[in-house]
Amino acid sequence: MDAENKILRLILGDQLNINHSWFSSVGSNVTYVLMEIRSETDYAKHHIQKVVGIFAAMQNFAKELQHKNHEVIYIYLNDEKNLHRFDDNILALIEKNKFTQFEYLLPDEYRVDEHLKAFTQKLNISSKVYDTEHFYSTRSELGDLFVGKKTYLMETFYRHMRKKHKVLIDDESKPLHGKWNFDEDNRQKLPKSHKPINPLVFSNDVAEIENEIIKSNVNTIGKVNSKQFIWPINRKQSLELLNFFTTNCLSLFGTFQDAMAPNEWSIYHSRLSFSMNIKLISPKEVVDSAIEAYHKNPDEIAFHQLEGFVRQIIGWREYMRGIYWLKMPEYATLNYFQLQEKLPGWFWTGETKMNCLKDAIHQSLNYAYAHHIQRLMVTGNFALLAGIHPDEVDAWYLGIYIDAFEWVEITNTRGMSQFADGGIVGTKPYVSSAAYINKMSSYCSGCYYDKNKKVGEKACPFNSMYWSFYNKHEAKLGNNPRIGMMYNVWRKMNVDAQNELLEQADYYLKHINEL
Ligand code: FAD
Ligand code: DLZ
Ligand code: SF4
């Protein structure tokens, strides 16, 4: 490399991949920069645990790089010279240190991608962008696979990924055990005899970071125990959590992946999304570890548990990213049902009489985490039935979860959960009455509302709102073959019963803040 060349390399808060080829050798002319900035703390109202967790992981990552003799500049939130934007801080560093080249890694978020593209176009020194070396697929791979197609089936993409990366397939590219998808063996409710497992949590002291965030008046939601911060904030802890999952949870992951239980916040889920999304560990490491655990212990870990888990990572996670890069920025404006309502205030406090929502929201405020089926079939289900504007729903999900980054949040929220994309991600809206929530949890038995009542005092709001939703959107959904059966039931109902349901739903929607 040219001795005169002085390179500045930017590392974003979700790009903490120590195995990246950037770090395989120490360049005397290379300086890395990480920055805690207001453009990132303020583009959403984040959970305090998310901001604390990202800053703690960034600080640890900077120390690790320094320990490996890399040159690092770390800009803290309250540094006097912090200009709180990527471009302004970089320009100031270039000016001060006379860098001759600027380099960065492909951002995962469209907003930051556009920002850095525009910035480097105007920059009067050369610049270069590198892959993050994290994902299995490239940004455009899904788009290329489905070119000319009208639909983007996850299952098609998943099979492509299995074959391409030789995951759980035989020498002839056929799926092991004869099938691609073993979902029918999964999705059971927890039995009465179920004994909750104690999830592995960490005890990180992040009080100083919390103080700095408070000092600078960053507006956050939720709570944190900053003397005992539970989330992994470095690679070592992330690997420990992975090991905990493969040892204690994988053997029942698939079976209970859709189960919900009051006071049990993660059941057999891995809680690895935060570590993966900020790239402390890679999806390949996670998938390989799960496969290794299965091979070591085939008597305990059945194949369908493993396949169910692998599908979430090389299927859903990569698929969502592919959809994001194919459809942004238009995706963020989609509102298929033209919904306009606001989220009720209790989404921010958990103070509702609906037990399922109370539990899912309290848990989200306490842990910055809810597992998939709580996000989809409790909070997401309610928001769609209540006709909430997808912008409102997105803002809530982007803020509240520690793993929330737009590429995976918006495709799940606006797409899978709210059907605001009109069916790009999902083939039908995920809505349900109390029957589904009761089938997958024990929430209903402790609820103020009656799961069996559709109308009248204490009738579960999900029941009437469910039918009202289908009625309202019949023009858009009536011909969908996947929900034809529900419309048959609705159309066969007598008019008085239909009207009672619609009136009940109307009443609840008008009094949504009191539910
Ligand atoms: P596990 O159940 O242990 O699953 C293992 C891994 O599979 C996860 O860590 C995740 O990386 C991946 N995965 C599973 N389901 C999905 C999915 N639908 N899309 C993408 N990856 C998946 N996930 C995020 O990472 N960030 C988000 O902001 C996010 N927002 C969501 C919003 C809604 C409305 C819904 C319905 C889902 C959302 N998800 C999001 C997907 C999923 O709920 C989380 O990935 C999962 O709950 C994280 O917990 P876990 O690590 O214990 O997952
Ligand atoms: C989410 C987040 C927050 C809260 N703060 C920072 C920060 O101060 N500095 C930083 O580099 N990254 C932060 N992030 C993560 C970024 O928002 C993320 O890197 C972009 O959205 C790209 O995915
Ligand atoms: Fe939720 Fe209705 Fe069951 Fe109450 S009765 S827990 S509101 S589904």
Side-chain angles (χ1 to χ4, degrees):
M1 216 179 279
D2 183 356
E4 298 290 299
N5 209 14
K6 274 187 83 180
I7 300 172
L8 179 64
R9 285 178 169 171
L10 171 67
I11 302 169
L12 302 176
D14 61 351
Q15 297 183 331
L16 311 180
N17 175 10
I18 199 68
N19 291 323
H20 193 278
S21 52
W22 264 8
F23 313 120
S24 58
S25 62
V26 176
S28 58
N29 56 344
V30 178
T31 302
Y32 294 96
V33 61
L34 295 97
M35 49 183 92
E36 299 172 0
I37 51 178
R38 292 304 293 263
S39 70
E40 301 314 291
T41 58
D42 296 4
Y43 71 80
K45 189 171 163 187
H46 303 285
H47 198 295
I48 179 70
Q49 294 188 34
K50 181 176 172 191
V51 186
V52 162
I54 289 173
F55 285 5
M58 285 170 69
Q59 291 180 16
N60 284 334
F61 193 76
K63 278 188 208 127
E64 193 177 348
L65 287 180
Q66 279 161 339
H67 185 72
K68 291 182 185 242
N69 295 320
H70 294 286
E71 195 62 43
V72 180
I73 297 172
Y74 193 94
I75 305 178
Y76 289 90
L77 189 63
N78 293 316
D79 277 354
E80 246 173 49
K81 293 201 171 134
N82 190 344
L83 297 168
H84 292 289
R85 286 171 56 105
F86 290 120
D87 52 2
D88 291 344
N89 274 335
I90 294 160
L91 276 180
L93 289 175
I94 291 172
E95 174 77 19
K96 182 168 172 241
N97 298 294
K98 308 283 174 254
F99 289 109
T100 57
Q101 180 152 320
F102 170 65
E103 300 183 348
Y104 67 104
L105 301 169
L106 280 176
D108 283 343
E109 191 187 335
Y110 185 85
R111 172 187 61 94
V112 180
D113 195 51
E114 289 292 298
H115 174 75
L116 290 175
K117 263 199 286 192
F119 169 66
T120 49
Q121 269 159 23
K122 281 191 285 176
L123 200 58
N124 60 7
I125 60 170
S126 61
S127 61
K128 200 169 165 187
V129 59
Y130 293 73
D131 194 81
T132 52
E133 300 172 8
H134 171 83
F135 293 98
Y136 277 91
S137 51
T138 63
R139 280 182 178 180
S140 60
E141 194 164 335
L142 177 139
D144 295 342
L145 181 71
F146 289 106
V147 77
K149 301 262 164 39
K150 283 203 183 109
T151 52
Y152 311 91
L153 259 190
M154 199 300 279
E155 190 65 26
T156 309
F157 178 77
Y158 170 55
R159 291 179 189 186
H160 159 79
M161 295 297 280
R162 288 261 301 267
K163 284 189 248 178
K164 181 170 175 194
H165 296 281
K166 303 197 182 347
V167 177
L168 308 183
I169 55 154
D170 65 18
D171 294 341
E172 290 163 14
S173 283
K174 299 255 165 53
L176 288 185
H177 297 272
K179 270 197 312 186
W180 291 102
N181 185 316
F182 285 75
D183 239 4
E184 67 204 34
D185 298 334
N186 294 338
R187 302 178 166 173
Q188 293 175 29
K189 185 176 182 163
L190 291 166
K192 288 226 163 63
S193 59
H194 164 74
K195 289 205 177 57
I197 57 163
N198 246 348
L200 171 69
V201 292
F202 300 94
S203 226
N204 294 303
D205 186 345
V206 291
E208 231 176 274
I209 295 178
E210 190 200 7
N211 284 342
E212 293 299 314
I213 293 168
I214 293 169
K215 204 161 88 186
S216 71
N217 286 321
V218 173
N219 199 2
T220 59
I221 49 175
K223 10 179 197 182
V224 63
N225 178 351
S226 59
K227 287 282 178 199
Q228 290 180 315
F229 184 68
I230 61 170
W231 291 99
I233 53 171
N234 55 43
R235 182 168 161 78
K236 183 169 168 282
Q237 292 181 346
S238 303
L239 290 171
E240 274 175 54
L241 191 57
L242 172 58
N243 184 49
F244 177 85
F245 171 74
T246 55
T247 313
N248 300 286
C249 306
L250 179 58
S251 61
L252 289 169
F253 175 84
T255 307
F256 297 120
Q257 116 189 51
D258 286 1
M260 296 178 279
N263 308 319
E264 208 183 332
W265 62 285
S266 58
I267 311 185
Y268 298 105
H269 292 274
S270 69
R271 294 171 293 125
L272 287 166
S273 48
F274 176 59
S275 291
M276 264 193 283
N277 292 355
I278 63 170
K279 304 183 183 57
L280 290 175
I281 51 172
S282 75
K284 186 167 182 340
E285 283 174 296
V286 175
V287 165
D288 288 351
S289 291
I291 294 174
E292 192 187 321
Y294 162 77
H295 283 306
K296 276 192 188 150
N297 215 342
D299 294 337
E300 203 184 307
I301 301 170
F303 187 76
H304 68 93
Q305 315 283 2
L306 175 69
E307 188 280 318
F309 183 69
V310 165
R311 181 162 14 100
Q312 305 311 313
I313 295 176
I314 69 168
W316 281 111
R317 188 170 188 266
E318 299 283 330
Y319 172 82
M320 290 309 201
R321 177 168 178 265
I323 294 283
Y324 183 76
W325 287 108
L326 185 65
K327 297 291 178 187
M328 281 296 280
E330 295 76 21
Y331 204 82
T333 64
L334 300 178
N335 186 359
Y336 184 63
F337 297 121
Q338 293 300 308
L339 305 179
Q340 301 300 334
E341 297 302 324
K342 283 191 139 1
L343 276 176
W346 46 258
F347 255 72
W348 305 95
T349 63
E351 282 167 28
T352 164
K353 298 189 282 299
M354 289 184 277
N355 208 25
C356 51
L357 279 150
K358 181 163 55 183
D359 193 70
I361 295 170
H362 274 144
Q363 176 189 310
S364 304
L365 292 168
N366 290 339
Y367 296 104
Y369 176 90
H371 58 76
H372 185 68
I373 219 69
Q374 292 174 306
R375 298 185 202 199
L376 187 65
M377 297 312 293
V378 178
T379 40
N381 184 7
F382 183 87
L384 181 52
L385 294 182
I388 311 297
H389 194 297
D391 286 356
E392 286 260 313
V393 190
D394 263 332
W396 187 80
Y397 278 99
L398 188 57
I400 200 157
Y401 293 120
I402 189 148
D403 57 27
F405 295 88
E406 195 188 64
W407 63 273
V408 57
E409 174 280 321
I410 200 169
T411 38
N412 270 293
T413 303
R414 205 169 274 257
M416 181 189 278
S417 166
Q418 301 299 292
F419 205 74
D421 64 2
I424 294 172
V425 163
T427 48
K428 69 175 177 74
Y430 278 97
V431 287
S432 82
S433 64
Y436 177 84
I437 294 173
N438 185 50
K439 188 173 139 212
M440 298 313 301
S441 77
S442 54
Y443 285 135
C444 298
S445 59
C447 187
Y448 167 89
Y449 292 102
D450 184 341
K451 66 176 190 306
N452 296 316
K453 278 182 83 174
K454 294 188 178 65
V455 294
E457 213 192 332
K458 296 193 179 176
C460 169
F462 279 98
N463 293 338
S464 52
M465 282 164 58
Y466 175 73
W467 288 114
S468 162
F469 171 83
Y470 277 134
N471 178 57
K472 244 181 245 163
H473 303 298
E474 189 165 1
K476 285 184 170 147
L477 297 175
N479 293 327
N480 184 325
R482 291 206 61 203
I483 39 186
M485 226 171 66
M486 297 322 296
Y487 275 106
N488 284 342
V489 176
W490 176 244
R491 285 170 197 142
K492 279 187 191 144
M493 219 182 271
N494 79 49
V495 175
D496 287 347
Q498 284 185 342
N499 284 339
E500 266 192 287
L501 280 166
L502 298 181
E503 276 165 30
Q504 181 75 56
D506 259 13
Y507 175 84
Y508 279 147
L509 292 173
K510 283 200 183 97
H511 295 84
I512 196 166
N513 278 301
E514 292 136 48
L515 292 177

